[in-house]
Amino acid sequence: MTRLEIAFFWITIFAYIGAFCLTAGSVMKSGERLEKIARVVLYSALAAHTATCIVRWAGAGHPPVTDTYELNLIGTWFTMVLFSLFERGGRVSLGVALPMIPITFLILGHGFVLRSEAVPLGPAYRSPWLVVHVIFAWLAFGSYAIASGAAAVLLLKLYFPSLRPLPRMPAAAALDAVCYRFVVFGFVNHAVMIASGAIWAKNLWGRYWGWDALETWSLIAFLTYAAYLHTRSFLGWRMQRAAWLATAALFVLVVSFWGVGWFGPTVHPGP
Amino acid sequence: MDSARTDLLPNQGRPRHGWIGGALYLLGSGKLALLLVAGLILLSLLGAVLPQQGMVARSALEIWQKHHPLATALLGPPGFFNVFRSWPFLICVLLLGTNTLVCTIFRLVRDGGIGPLRGPGFLARTGFVVLHFSIVLLLVGAFLTASTGMHGLLLLTEGQSVHDTHDAYVRFTKGPMMLQRHNRYSLGLGKVTVTYEKERYPVDIAAVLEFSGGSDRVEKVVRVNHPVRYRGLVFTYDETGFSPRIIVKETKTGRHLVDSYVALTTHKTPEGREYRDFLPVPFFGYRPMFTLLPDHIVQDSVAVKNSDIPGRPLLVLEMQREDGSVASRTHLPSGEWTIIGDHAVLFAGLRRWASILVVEDPGYYLVYAALWLGVGGLAIRYGSEFRSWMGASKTEQPLESA
């Protein structure tokens, strides 16, 4: 890591902490001015985050997609960009950032602990499918993270309705709708990620699916979100049931991303 | 829509046309789909958590089973240690395929065929049909590959050639309904080229493949991520390593005991790659372990690897006892005979080996078409819904209301 990259990284971390505190304050006090400041700090954090990614990219000579640090860096960036875009468009409340920022912060910290020297891309990564696979993976995971953020707020609102600052958060039905829409968006991107990964695997390993540990976990996550969509359609699940399922699905997704090594060998270099 | 059709619809009450209608109703029901998806999640979880045959070494699986007798007794008989080929998994997949097909047909029937799909909700309904059709197509493609395809692994050293026979493959599996047998090609491995960046990191690996079949002779370059095709077979670059030529002869008689290129296994360690293997011959009652340093330097009288790029190669011969301890270590510089007891050993040259995957995959195009059709179906199914959400102004869809 270069000094510049380390500097941007820490600015990102502290800016996210500031954004979290200000968002919490704005939700509690319902102050419009505080909300505006929180938004500015959040966007500043995102700008510093973008700069960290760019410096890393320039240093490594390839997109930051090869090791845990790079994947965590770019993954959290996608998540926060998606959130900011939808928040700015008025589709998600700023309050949903309350569970999301700490998660982003933890993921960045986890990557930083495992950071390694930037190395050239190996032959296996020199495929046009790499970019497609990674972009859609992070669009999917980012969407699912937002969906889970909405689900977490929804569950808190349902179980602790009078707890501050929950009464000031959007209505439960609106949070349920946000959760559903982001699951749908994530699901479509997840499908592209699996399809592009299968094509890449066919070129690299001679088969599109090999029941490797990471592939299996990715399929489990995909099926769990498929179950979420089907329970809404066929069983009419809404609100807390759907929110619990979205939360469980995120747990599977987290295992599929960070926990694969616990259960079995994988040919994927992965995080 | 006529009444007979209406009676079979999954969401319009129970069918009234006997057991066939009932069975179809059940087969196409959304609740069955949910049950099957839940079953597949559960079985996949077992596959992800339990050690699986073919994924872990047989010995590791046996050790696990020895330490978990109860789990082995419960999960072994249904085949959960090879869960993705077990009958519960295959039944789930078969039922899900049938369910998806019947469900898609129901939708088409309910909507009166493809033509009347037009109208309100056209995109969502079309997307549903396309998506579910793609799942059926995917399963058909996967079935074709599993039943009529083949998957083999060839290991060749530069300059070596093999003919397509069963014994030529290091590993070979084929579908039970595969019709075509061997003898389709001969393959020679030409020059293997590894390109490095910063003198350390391999960034491209390519090899020249020389195919011949009958009067046909073709040369193709296969590289990592870029497989080549020949006579319906796909040749994919798998791994590469070094094959030093090792000659062992008796000093008294001059008789050659070994004279061949020995493909050393490439071990990836945190410190980098190591190239080593045993020579499968007893040597003074020891196990001879050869380690190659493609380019070496001497530090404090010890030869250490300097680079993976062949420069000053050195072969290190360790005589190992049965318990793995080292009895002696000898350095074999390239081109110099070294006397060990009554034997002379020569490191006579260095080539690369490459392992090539040979795959016949008849379901390939169906699977690919299904993948993109599925993605397209999803986009059509949910795209309009998402667009209307994004298109609505903040006042039309306030966050505080549903």
Side-chain angles (χ1 to χ4, degrees):
Chain A
M1 278 176 96
T2 61
R3 282 186 178 185
L4 188 64
E5 188 185 339
I6 292 173
F8 277 126
F9 183 86
W10 285 111
I11 292 171
T12 308
I13 292 285
F14 286 115
Y16 276 134
I17 293 172
F20 174 76
C21 296
L22 288 164
T23 306
S26 75
V27 171
M28 283 200 183
K29 298 206 166 185
S30 193
E32 232 175 71
R33 194 159 169 264
L34 205 55
E35 195 176 307
K36 274 183 186 169
I37 299 169
R39 208 169 271 131
V40 169
V41 176
L42 183 65
Y43 294 157
S44 309
L46 196 53
H49 199 158
T50 310
T52 316
C53 293
I54 291 170
V55 172
R56 179 71 178 188
W57 188 329
H62 58 75
V65 290
T66 54
D67 63 7
T68 307
Y69 166 68
E70 291 184 352
L71 285 167
N72 288 10
L73 188 69
I74 199 81
T76 44
W77 181 82
F78 262 107
T79 307
M80 293 316 290
V81 165
L82 259 183
F83 174 78
S84 302
L85 284 174
F86 283 100
E87 196 275 332
R88 194 156 175 76
R91 301 296 181 260
V92 190
S93 152
L94 187 64
V96 174
L98 283 181
M100 283 185 61
I101 294 177
I103 292 170
T104 301
F105 176 78
L106 284 175
I107 295 173
L108 280 174
H110 170 254
F112 189 74
V113 170
L114 300 173
R115 70 191 181 280
S116 57
E117 182 199 350
V119 295
L121 275 185
Y125 286 107
R126 292 184 182 248
S127 164
W129 292 108
L130 169 71
V131 176
V132 181
H133 187 62
V134 171
I135 286 178
F136 281 94
W138 281 116
L139 281 174
F141 296 175
S143 313
Y144 290 149
I146 298 172
S148 301
V153 176
L154 168 62
L155 287 172
L156 285 171
K157 212 173 158 67
L158 290 173
Y159 288 107
F160 310 101
S162 54
L163 186 76
R164 281 183 76 193
L166 294 169
R168 295 178 195 278
M169 299 287 253
L175 287 166
D176 185 51
V178 166
C179 181
Y180 165 70
R181 281 160 183 159
F182 277 97
V183 166
V184 165
F185 187 66
F187 194 68
V188 176
N189 287 299
H190 200 159
V192 182
M193 179 200 85
I194 290 179
S196 58
I199 296 171
W200 185 11
K202 178 75 179 163
N203 289 338
L204 188 59
W205 298 312
R207 47 74 176 172
Y208 32 71
W209 196 265
W211 297 112
D212 170 76
L214 186 61
E215 291 168 358
T216 307
W217 276 106
S218 181
L219 179 74
I220 295 169
F222 189 71
L223 288 174
T224 312
Y225 281 107
Y228 172 92
L229 295 174
H230 280 79
T231 50
R232 279 187 89 94
S233 298
F234 294 114
L235 303 181
W237 282 19
R238 298 282 189 281
M239 307 299 260
Q240 74 258 47
R241 277 182 175 177
W244 276 119
L245 192 52
T247 310
L250 187 80
F251 173 75
V252 175
L253 197 75
V254 167
V255 175
S256 82
F257 196 67
W258 286 288
V260 168
W262 307 336
F263 298 104
T266 173
V267 288
H268 290 76
Chain B
M1 205 184 300
D2 59 55
S3 61
R5 279 171 167 181
T6 318
D7 287 344
L8 293 175
L9 297 182
N11 52 354
Q12 295 199 3
R14 279 217 153 279
R16 298 189 295 268
H17 285 280
W19 67 272
I20 296 178
L24 281 173
Y25 171 82
L26 184 71
L27 271 176
S29 86
K31 285 178 183 166
L32 177 67
L34 252 175
L35 198 69
L36 292 168
V37 166
L40 284 175
I41 291 173
L42 198 69
L43 290 168
S44 301
L45 272 172
L46 282 175
V49 173
L50 293 176
Q52 295 292 299
Q53 281 174 26
M55 292 286 182
V56 296
R58 183 187 289 265
S59 54
L61 180 62
E62 283 169 1
I63 289 168
W64 193 95
Q65 289 177 335
K66 202 175 157 186
H67 284 89
H68 302 85
L70 182 65
T72 305
L74 287 173
L75 304 171
F80 289 155
F81 291 101
N82 194 5
V83 72
F84 302 112
R85 286 171 191 266
S86 67
W87 59 264
F89 187 81
L90 295 176
I91 287 175
C92 259
V93 171
L94 185 72
L95 276 176
L96 187 68
T98 313
N99 170 271
T100 309
L101 182 67
V102 175
C103 174
T104 311
I105 293 169
F106 275 154
R107 269 294 175 109
L108 277 172
V109 170
R110 189 185 69 181
D111 296 335
I114 292 167
L117 277 176
R118 269 175 262 140
F122 159 73
L123 282 177
R125 279 181 284 141
T126 309
F128 176 90
V129 171
V130 171
L131 171 64
H132 286 77
F133 174 70
S134 77
I135 296 172
V136 177
L137 203 63
L138 184 79
L139 294 176
V140 172
F143 173 76
L144 258 179
T145 295
S147 57
T148 63
M150 63 150 270
H151 203 280
L153 183 71
L154 292 172
L155 186 69
L156 291 161
T157 296
E158 284 172 315
Q160 190 187 354
S161 60
V162 289
H163 185 67
D164 172 29
T165 59
H166 193 86
D167 293 341
Y169 293 96
V170 178
R171 216 172 49 223
F172 184 83
T173 50
K174 69 175 187 67
M177 288 190 271
M178 185 193 173
L179 298 175
Q180 208 164 1
R181 299 291 173 204
H182 297 296
N183 299 320
R184 278 182 282 178
Y185 66 90
S186 288
L187 174 67
L189 181 68
K191 178 85 180 150
V192 176
T193 313
V194 182
T195 312
Y196 293 87
E197 241 178 55
K198 296 182 182 173
E199 297 185 345
R200 188 174 160 198
Y201 302 103
V203 292
D204 186 34
I205 304 173
V208 177
L209 297 183
E210 296 145 4
F211 294 97
S212 55
S215 57
D216 187 24
R217 292 187 77 81
V218 187
E219 215 174 77
K220 296 185 180 208
V221 176
V222 65
R223 34 180 24 106
V224 175
N225 263 319
H226 299 277
V228 295
R229 286 184 167 271
Y230 181 73
R231 296 196 167 186
L233 297 167
V234 180
F235 295 79
T236 308
Y237 207 108
D238 182 42
E239 274 191 78
T240 194
F242 288 104
S243 292
R245 185 182 172 197
I246 297 169
I247 302 174
V248 181
K249 67 176 183 181
E250 286 177 342
T251 46
K252 284 180 187 167
T253 61
R255 189 166 65 101
H256 281 223
L257 301 176
V258 177
D259 184 356
S260 65
Y261 285 94
V262 179
L264 303 180
T265 306
T266 305
H267 299 269
K268 286 174 186 160
T269 65
E271 289 77 36
R273 289 179 175 77
E274 285 180 12
Y275 311 96
R276 59 186 148 81
D277 230 322
F278 290 104
L279 195 66
V281 288
F283 210 35
F284 306 115
Y286 295 109
R287 292 193 307 170
M289 159 78 93
F290 286 94
T291 304
L292 176 81
L293 312 177
D295 182 42
H296 81 283
I297 50 170
V298 178
Q299 283 179 348
D300 303 326
S301 312
V302 179
V304 291
K305 189 176 90 172
N306 183 41
S307 162
D308 288 305
I309 308 168
R312 293 174 58 222
L314 180 76
L315 205 55
V316 179
L317 169 59
E318 284 179 350
M319 294 298 188
Q320 290 192 357
R321 298 186 189 95
E322 278 200 8
D323 61 0
S325 61
V326 178
S328 72
R329 184 177 287 116
T330 311
H331 288 178
L332 307 171
S334 180
E336 289 176 26
W337 284 98
T338 305
I339 307 295
I340 304 173
D342 294 338
H343 295 77
V345 186
L346 176 67
F347 170 25
L350 187 61
R351 289 185 180 176
R352 285 188 190 269
W353 61 259
S355 56
I356 307 288
L357 288 163
V358 187
V359 178
E360 183 170 21
D361 189 354
Y364 174 83
Y365 291 108
L366 283 183
V367 170
Y368 271 41
L371 286 175
W372 293 118
L373 213 56
V375 169
L378 267 174
I380 299 170
R381 165 70 183 84
Y382 292 110
S384 52
E385 206 175 295
F386 211 74
R387 208 171 50 233
S388 65
W389 180 49
M390 293 306 290
S393 68
K394 288 183 199 180
T395 46
E396 281 171 325
Q397 263 189 338
L399 277 170
E400 284 66 28
S401 74

